[in-house]
Amino acid sequence: MSTFLGMPATAPRGVGHLRGDEPFPAAAHTALANDQLRRNLRHATTTIRGKSGRVIAELPDWQELRSAGSAIKADVMSRLPELLEELEARVTERGGVVHWAADANQANAIVTELVRRTGSERVIKVKSMATQEIALNEALEAAGIQPVETDLAELIVQLGNDQPSHILVPAIHRNRSEIREIFLTAMPGVDPGLTDDPPVLAAAARKYLRETFLSTKVAISGANFGIAETGTLAVVESEGNGRMCLTLPDTLITVMGIEKVVPAWRDLEVFLQLLPRASTGERMNPYTTMWTGVTPGDGPQDFHLVLLDNGRSAVLADPAGRSALHCIRCSACLNVCPVYERTGGHAYGSVYPGPIGAVLSPQLTGIEDNASLPFASSLCGACFDACPVRIDIPSILVHLRNRAPHPKSERAAMRAAAYTMDRPKLYARAQRAAKLARIAGRRGRGLPLGWNRARDLPEIPAQTFRDWWASR
């Protein structure tokens, strides 16, 4: 199969979870009416922020680590094709098979065919944003193959026929009473007397999953990092389910976004300090699993790596927006975002919610398909301050807002305002026009602009600065 890197194409429509059914403002309006959702989000994000802040404060060189992570990612973007080819060569040398997928349709077809060849009718899965992005579970189910999520939060989402609402904690919108009801309704063999005590809920999931681990021969994972110089793949997680999936089955299929490659083993020295502190508020990940191809007699004996583009080349083609590909999926930006904390992840309509989703999803799909997302922000800058690899999300948001389609009335109003403000005498006359307030309506709501539906213009002062200056 040819490599399509460098031939920018956006993610195809009709497959995957990158586009919502309604624009963000409409979806957010619905979410804001859910008091329980807002309580769940506020509690969870406040807790994670506190833990993360404490462990970050322990490192005197945190800002230097952020700069190093940003520099490594910028280097990767500048020579992505050669690094991917190096990764392919090293994986192949160690007995793995590398597949190139230009989009979600190709990736789903490749993985489905690989599972079919094994004869297995069930697969176990490690938490993976890439497989959520391409709707791999739905593709497998359509082919008669049962996918079983093994991450606890992903399992809750799957059993509840739900969608993830957070990059790190997919079931952040659920509380323990809701989780108990989901387990009682959808988990096979669960004790009818199940309580909502967290250890009891975890024990029920562990019992169900342990049996699944031991009887399933195919696993599917994502990857946090792919090391070009050695062909090593890495998955970091907190529960141990990933370790089970990556070591017990006979066949392992890994779907990795092409931006996850890093040049050298030593680069992990930076990212394995940044990621746990920014994401879970831990000093190190409880489980860090790495594997290189196939090791005879140890672990899966059939390994396949699927390298996924699905719009990433289109992001790479935009110099102003490509740093969105630096994201290491820590979710720090979500946990500090005032918009996300109030609306939750489902309002974004994409598997990538929050600030990073507001800049990544529109670029993966094309701005026309997610035109409202760049406006899902107050531009407060908290996301940039929190990002462990220093992605300037506010600047990308402004860039994408300029690219988004705008109503003719708004464009005309902005042109008129620009024309007036560029001519001091005309601007002064406009300020003095007593009818301005009547034209604009109460607090600007009569103006033909998009943002004034949710914001009020300042009250027009009785005396302008020019009048005050002239009087003195």
Side-chain angles (χ1 to χ4, degrees), residues 99-114:
H99 309 260
W100 297 81
D103 57 33
N105 289 315
Q106 285 191 9
N108 288 336
I110 290 168
V111 175
T112 300
E113 178 58 27
L114 291 173

Side-chain angles (χ1 to χ4, degrees), residues 31-320:
L32 288 170
N34 187 333
D35 292 339
Q36 183 62 58
L37 171 67
R38 295 178 69 177
R39 283 193 293 271
N40 294 350
L41 289 167
R42 184 168 57 250
H43 172 73
T45 55
T46 301
T47 300
I48 296 171
R49 276 200 308 270
K51 288 180 60 182
S52 180
R54 286 190 291 273
V55 295
I56 286 174
E58 297 173 354
L59 292 183
D61 62 343
W62 177 253
Q63 296 305 326
E64 289 77 9
L65 279 170
R66 292 179 72 208
S67 296
S70 177
I72 293 169
K73 284 293 189 175
D75 174 54
V76 168
M77 296 304 120
S78 70
R79 53 194 186 102
L80 189 54
E82 66 180 76
L83 290 174
L84 290 171
E85 290 177 353
E86 183 181 1
L87 176 67
E88 178 186 33
R90 299 292 87 78
V91 170
T92 303
E93 288 172 0
R94 292 298 301 269
V97 180
V98 177
H99 309 260
W100 297 81
D103 57 33
N105 289 315
Q106 285 191 9
N108 288 336
I110 290 168
V111 175
T112 300
E113 178 58 27
L114 291 173
V115 177
R116 276 178 172 157
R117 290 180 193 173
T118 69
S120 179
E121 295 181 350
R122 182 173 66 184
V123 299
I124 49 177
K125 290 186 71 230
V126 186
K127 181 179 180 298
S128 164
M129 299 301 296
T131 61
Q132 286 280 354
E133 173 190 326
I134 63 177
L136 178 60
N137 283 7
E138 290 86 334
L140 291 171
E141 289 168 351
I145 299 165
Q146 178 193 6
V148 179
E149 297 288 354
T150 64
D151 175 85
L152 178 57
E154 289 284 5
L155 178 65
I156 293 166
V157 168
Q158 184 181 39
L159 293 177
N161 293 315
D162 203 350
Q163 292 295 329
S165 62
H166 191 276
I167 289 175
L168 182 69
V169 193
I172 196 172
H173 56 291
R174 297 289 192 182
N175 61 31
R176 63 189 192 181
S177 296
E178 293 171 314
I179 294 169
R180 172 183 175 271
E181 292 303 317
I182 290 171
F183 280 10
L184 286 172
T185 303
M187 183 177 286
V190 71
D191 181 0
L194 184 73
T195 70
D196 65 0
D197 187 34
V200 174
L201 294 172
R206 186 180 299 113
K207 180 178 183 295
Y208 166 68
L209 289 174
R210 187 57 59 93
E211 296 170 354
T212 307
F213 286 135
L214 296 174
S215 60
T216 306
K217 300 301 182 183
V218 181
I220 297 173
S221 81
N224 292 98
F225 308 101
I227 305 170
E229 77 172 355
T230 63
T232 303
L233 282 297
V235 166
V236 297
E237 38 110 10
S238 299
E239 300 174 14
N241 63 294
R243 180 70 54 83
M244 303 283 275
C245 289
L246 297 168
T247 56
L248 289 177
D250 298 330
T251 299
L252 173 61
I253 304 167
T254 297
V255 181
M256 186 185 92
I258 55 176
E259 80 280 15
K260 295 298 187 67
V261 67
V262 295
W265 180 272
R266 188 172 180 179
D267 295 326
L268 294 185
E269 174 188 355
V270 173
F271 293 114
L272 292 183
Q273 292 184 79
L274 290 171
L275 182 55
R277 285 176 167 83
S279 58
T280 56
E282 297 170 298
R283 296 177 182 86
M284 64 180 293
N285 294 100
Y287 294 89
T288 299
T289 305
M290 301 184 189
W291 69 100
T292 307
V294 174
T295 301
D298 183 12
Q301 298 301 290
D302 186 18
F303 171 58
H304 297 265
L305 173 62
V306 181
L307 294 172
L308 176 69
D309 189 327
N310 204 43
R312 287 158 175 80
S313 289
V315 184
L316 186 64
D318 183 355

Side-chain angles (χ1 to χ4, degrees), residues 424-448:
K425 291 183 179 179
L426 180 59
Y427 182 55
R429 287 199 296 271
Q431 283 185 310
R432 290 194 297 269
K435 63 180 182 179
L436 181 60
R438 292 195 297 273
I439 294 172
R442 184 178 179 274
R443 303 301 297 274
R445 289 173 187 166
L447 292 172

Side-chain angles (χ1 to χ4, degrees), residues 372-408:
S372 66
L373 286 186
F375 298 90
S377 171
S378 66
L379 298 180
C380 68
C383 50
F384 175 59
D385 293 337
C387 177
V389 290
R390 297 178 57 85
I391 301 172
D392 189 354
I393 293 175
S395 293
I396 303 176
L397 286 167
V398 173
H399 167 66
L400 293 175
R401 290 180 183 188
N402 289 332
R403 288 179 51 198
H406 294 272
K408 290 182 179 179

